Amino acid sequence: MFLTCCGSVTSRFQDWGPLCGGMLRTTVGCVGVEERDEEQEDEGEEDLRDGGVPFFVNRGGLPVDEETWEQMWRHVARIHPNGEAIGKRIRGASDLPKIPTLSVPTYQPTTSIPQRLEAIQKYIRDLQYNHTGTQFFEIKKSRPLTALMDIAKEMIRESLPIKCLEAVILGIYLSNSMPGVERFPLSFKTQFSGNHFCHIVLGMHSGGRFGALGISRREDLMFKPLEFRTLADLVQEFEGAYRGYWHTLRKVKIGQYVSHDPHSVEQIDWKHSIIDVDKLTKEELRRELERHTRDMRLKIGKAAPPSPAKDRKSSMGSPLRNPGSPMRRNSRIERRPSGEKKVLDPKPPPDMNGYQIRV
């Protein structure tokens, strides 16, 4: 899979000829999860560390400039077994296949909602998971929805491998034409062998059932069909999948429903509720998730901020904040102390000591 990912990236970039050295210089950074404070999280900056292993973000756009390109291959050499040899073999190959641009799914008027969501998931999966350690598209969560939709269009044009946050943005864009489907961010923080891992999917709600779209290294940590009666059932499905990899679910963050207007200047509410799972009983967790479901339903029908004028050249893609947006309510989970004692995590099997199962 890693060879396919790197090969597709190299083959795709060969179409552009020499890399553009005259572009703005790209800055890349890796910030540890443990080093980030709550203020940074509130600003919407994404995690740049995956289970203790940093990854980089291409902040200069595409085509990738030479500095970022070389940084990516140096990072591959560090994080992947035999990475240096693999990098030389891929970069020195002259017969890499040309990667075609994938076609966006189209539907007949009679195509059902579940079938449409499966088609979107297949498109996301066919892009493949990005194993290079460098995220190709910069996603700033504080940007207005219209700017994030512009990034989704760029993902479609380039057809490059993506990570989980990019898949959420792409899923929102591809499902904007489905007014009967409500979408919301659903993120997880887990722990394994002393390290924390973060993952995000796009929660779906339609016809009284919940599901999810997304991408992951693990097949059971992305797509979930619309068959879960409650949000609690969906979360427990993900929790069970994590247990299969000896991961302990620590925290769940749930956002509000995302607008279907691709030109909306409102920001996505990424974490309307933050739930410390390990401080709650199963019944308390279910009640909190039911409360959040009621909060999401109350938002439906409320007036959204007006869309910008058609001429948006000066503001398109800029991280604007809407001054008229209401402040997000803090979840009761953040204020209410839990009476339940913390359950100690089961220790991983002895032969896994020092080994990280990345999900």
Side-chain angles (χ1 to χ4, degrees), residues 218-252:
R218 309 291 180 176
E219 186 70 24
D220 50 357
L221 290 175
M222 43 184 184
F223 177 67
K224 302 293 180 184
L226 283 171
E227 59 182 29
F228 298 91
R229 189 176 60 84
T230 66
L231 180 57
D233 293 338
L234 177 62
V235 171
Q236 288 174 2
E237 169 71 15
F238 277 100
E239 185 178 16
Y242 274 118
R243 282 198 302 269
Y245 304 109
W246 296 281
H247 277 235
T248 301
L249 182 60
R250 294 297 189 191
K251 187 175 292 188
V252 175

Side-chain angles (χ1 to χ4, degrees), residues 151-293:
I151 296 175
K153 295 175 187 177
E154 188 177 17
M155 292 184 212
I156 292 172
R157 285 196 304 268
E158 303 298 341
S159 289
L160 291 173
I162 57 176
K163 294 176 77 70
C164 60
L165 183 58
E166 295 161 298
V168 167
I169 300 303
L170 192 55
I172 292 173
Y173 177 79
L174 294 175
S175 59
N176 273 337
S177 60
M178 304 179 193
V181 179
E182 300 297 343
R183 300 82 44 83
F184 58 94
L186 177 61
S187 58
F188 307 93
K189 184 175 184 179
T190 62
Q191 186 175 9
F192 174 81
S193 190
N195 279 325
H196 290 94
F197 297 76
C198 294
H199 180 50
I200 188 169
V201 296
L202 182 64
M204 316 295 290
H205 185 214
S206 177
R209 292 292 185 267
F210 288 88
L213 297 175
I215 199 167
S216 170
R217 298 179 185 89
R218 309 291 180 176
E219 186 70 24
D220 50 357
L221 290 175
M222 43 184 184
F223 177 67
K224 302 293 180 184
L226 283 171
E227 59 182 29
F228 298 91
R229 189 176 60 84
T230 66
L231 180 57
D233 293 338
L234 177 62
V235 171
Q236 288 174 2
E237 169 71 15
F238 277 100
E239 185 178 16
Y242 274 118
R243 282 198 302 269
Y245 304 109
W246 296 281
H247 277 235
T248 301
L249 182 60
R250 294 297 189 191
K251 187 175 292 188
V252 175
K253 298 179 183 179
I254 316 166
Q256 285 278 30
Y257 287 156
V258 179
S259 170
H260 287 265
D261 180 5
H263 305 297
S264 172
V265 295
E266 66 179 337
Q267 295 173 333
I268 296 175
D269 188 345
W270 295 93
K271 46 185 181 178
H272 183 81
S273 295
I274 303 176
I275 302 176
D276 292 315
V277 177
D278 53 350
K279 295 181 180 179
L280 302 174
T281 64
K282 285 188 176 180
E283 184 57 33
E284 287 175 330
L285 175 61
R286 179 173 292 275
R287 284 201 301 266
E288 287 301 324
L289 292 172
E290 288 175 353
R291 178 195 61 78
H292 182 84
T293 302

Side-chain angles (χ1 to χ4, degrees), residues 11 114 139 204 240 321:
S11 177
I139 308 294
M204 316 295 290
R321 292 181 180 273

Side-chain angles (χ1 to χ4, degrees), residues 9 21 41 85 212 227 243 296 305 310 353:
V9 172
E41 289 192 0
E227 59 182 29
R243 282 198 302 269
M296 289 194 295
K310 290 185 179 180
N353 186 28

